[in-house]
Amino acid sequence: MRYQGFAIYVLLGLVITLLANSAQTLERDQIGDQYIKSWVVGGPFPSANLNVDHFATAISGGEKAVATRGWGANNEIPTSDGRIVVLKDFTATGKAVDLVTAVGVEQGMAGGYQESVTAYAIAFINASKAETIEFGMGIDGTAVVWVNGVQVYRGTSAEKMAFDGVLVPNVKLKQGLNIIMTKVVRPTVGWRPDHASTATGWGFALRILPNG
């Protein structure tokens, strides 16, 4: 029984480690003011309406629940047009998260190629202490940002990417695990299979700065 208990303890440790790795948990003390590159991403969803809660079809509480507790890679979300979006780990190669690269734009929706898209990105930040910080953001599209289930930013019109062009002050991080979730809408123009896309950019950049 002693060895069985030890084996269970080891197995639980491995499961916890695997879950942490799949969620790409980052240490606040290590990332400093660098742009956050590791996210769990999901999309595209067929809507350009920030008010549509795409998580509501898959989890009780929808966006609020995911923004509060987080959700890792391989979770599935049914879409309104009959597809399944699977969350996946994504690491940006530069400062910005390019959502066209991260989640793509699906063919076969209403009108052939959809005219608008929405995607989510979730980051997991472990903080050694509670602190009040500021987000420095760049956005291609219109965005909403939550921290631990609290909405801290909501855009009212489409933005063009400019690093630190959007500053979000007075953001509260708690000691321990923090969940940052972004939702970015990208209306597109002239997206057709028979010629190059003339669509606008789609993505975001986010980093933590000292408050004020």
Side-chain angles (χ1 to χ4, degrees), residues 74-97:
N74 301 318
N75 282 293
E76 299 182 349
I77 306 104
T79 67
S80 61
D81 59 352
R83 294 177 300 113
I84 298 292
V85 167
V86 180
L87 299 183
K88 62 181 180 180
D89 292 328
F90 180 78
T91 301
T93 57
K95 295 178 181 179
V97 176

Side-chain angles (χ1 to χ4, degrees), residues 2-100:
R2 182 185 306 172
Y3 292 108
Q4 184 180 14
F6 178 75
I8 293 172
Y9 175 81
V10 171
L11 180 60
L12 285 174
L14 288 173
V15 169
I16 291 170
T17 300
L18 288 172
L19 288 173
N21 288 340
S22 67
Q24 300 192 44
T25 303
L26 303 174
E27 294 296 327
R28 168 72 183 103
D29 295 337
Q30 294 178 6
I31 61 175
D33 62 357
Q34 299 176 46
Y35 285 91
I36 298 173
K37 296 183 178 182
S38 296
W39 299 81
V40 173
V41 300
F45 294 92
S47 173
N49 185 346
L50 281 179
N51 294 321
V52 176
D53 184 343
H54 299 284
F55 283 127
T57 60
I59 184 171
S60 177
E63 290 174 343
K64 176 72 172 179
V66 176
T68 301
R69 301 193 298 269
W71 226 18
N74 301 318
N75 282 293
E76 299 182 349
I77 306 104
T79 67
S80 61
D81 59 352
R83 294 177 300 113
I84 298 292
V85 167
V86 180
L87 299 183
K88 62 181 180 180
D89 292 328
F90 180 78
T91 301
T93 57
K95 295 178 181 179
V97 176
D98 179 358
L99 290 170
V100 174

